[in-house]
Amino acid sequence: MSLFGEPFTAKCLKSGITIEVGEGQSLLQSLLDNGISMDYSCEGGVCGTCVVPLVSGEVEHMDEFLMDDEMDSQIITCVSRGEGEIQIDV
């Protein structure tokens, strides 16, 4: 396993695209590489700048920003990863 983890798929509902996130990529970088404009700052999972709404799917949360009650509805794109397929509202 790489530094980032297993590959996963992110369906981006607003933009209508599906992104394959490789094991060596962050969701943030994959979104940027696919033309989705994102705000980001620390890229370490602590500031919350790159948070996006999570519509469905399982997430391995590796950030230090989200509270427990926010983890079912948001994902920090710089460090957290989907498991299998997720849907995000970007």
Side-chain angles (χ1 to χ4, degrees):
M1 188 166 88
S2 76
L3 175 64
F4 288 105
E6 296 297 318
F8 68 99
T9 302
K11 285 191 174 185
C12 304
L13 301 180
K14 281 185 183 173
S15 61
I17 64 172
T18 299
I19 296 173
E20 300 296 326
V21 182
E23 67 180 27
Q25 297 177 298
S26 68
L27 175 56
L28 171 63
Q29 191 59 54
S30 297
L31 291 167
L32 295 171
D33 289 349
N34 282 276
I36 296 177
S37 179
M38 295 278 308
D39 289 331
Y40 62 95
S41 183
C42 75
E43 294 186 70
V46 296
C47 74
T49 304
C50 66
V51 66
V52 298
L54 174 68
V55 176
S56 68
E58 296 295 317
V59 172
E60 182 180 359
H61 291 279
M62 295 185 272
D63 63 272
E64 297 179 29
F65 181 79
L66 293 177
M67 304 298 284
D68 289 344
D69 62 343
E70 298 173 312
M71 291 183 174
D72 287 337
S73 62
Q74 299 178 65
I75 182 172
I76 301 294
T77 60
C78 66
V79 295
S80 296
R81 300 190 65 78
E83 296 178 3
E85 180 180 289
I86 64 170
Q87 292 185 350
I88 55 177
D89 201 17
V90 297

